[in-house]
Amino acid sequence: QVQLVESGGGLVQAGGSLRLSCAASGRTDSTYAMGWFRQAPGKEREFVAAIYGGGGYTYYPDSLRGRFTISRDNTKSMMYLEMNSLKPEDTAIYYCAARILLQIATVASPDKWDYWGQGTQVTVSS
């Protein structure tokens, strides 16, 4: 069993930066993929980033590549999301997720992830 707890959300002005953290407990070695999703009001949960293989492999949707950076520290059982040049449309609840096996074809599918955190709110003001 894996438990995930996000932190670092808050209110930031457009153009600013924010760093989210995800603390993992339980079995979360490098064989687990970890990722971030977000969900804005009235919208479906959206894939933000994923990391696998001790940090050697990272995945982003084209729309976020270059502004967001995912990283992990397996020695601390932590994962991070660095968000830069934030826009009001980045406003959402951000969720940390983990899964046992990573299949690239389904990396962006929320229903293929096994464990979820409770989420942290990110609000970007214009």
Side-chain angles (χ1 to χ4, degrees):
Q1 194 72 7
V2 175
Q3 293 80 42
L4 304 170
V5 179
E6 303 93 338
S7 61
L11 175 64
V12 62
Q13 288 188 333
S17 299
L18 208 58
R19 188 194 197 203
L20 304 183
S21 300
C22 174
S25 60
R27 183 182 174 184
T28 54
D29 54 41
S30 60
T31 61
Y32 276 66
M34 298 189 73
W36 291 97
F37 287 77
R38 67 185 183 184
Q39 190 164 18
K43 296 187 176 181
E44 296 185 350
R45 194 163 293 192
E46 177 188 19
F47 170 66
V48 173
I51 190 165
Y52 181 67
Y57 302 97
T58 57
Y59 308 93
Y60 305 91
D62 291 340
S63 60
L64 297 179
R65 187 177 290 111
R67 287 199 302 125
F68 288 15
T69 302
I70 190 172
S71 62
R72 71 192 289 179
D73 185 342
N74 289 327
T75 64
K76 299 180 180 179
S77 297
M78 294 292 295
M79 179 180 64
Y80 307 98
L81 183 70
E82 187 75 34
M83 303 184 292
N84 298 313
S85 303
L86 284 163
K87 306 173 183 180
E89 50 264 43
D90 294 319
T91 295
I93 298 174
Y94 283 70
Y95 296 92
C96 171
R99 58 188 283 181
I100 299 171
L101 296 174
L102 180 65
Q103 296 175 320
I104 304 307
T106 62
V107 66
S109 302
D111 60 333
K112 298 299 183 183
W113 290 76
D114 302 306
Y115 305 98
W116 293 88
Q118 82 289 348
T120 185
Q121 177 71 46
V122 172
T123 303
V124 184
S125 62
S126 57

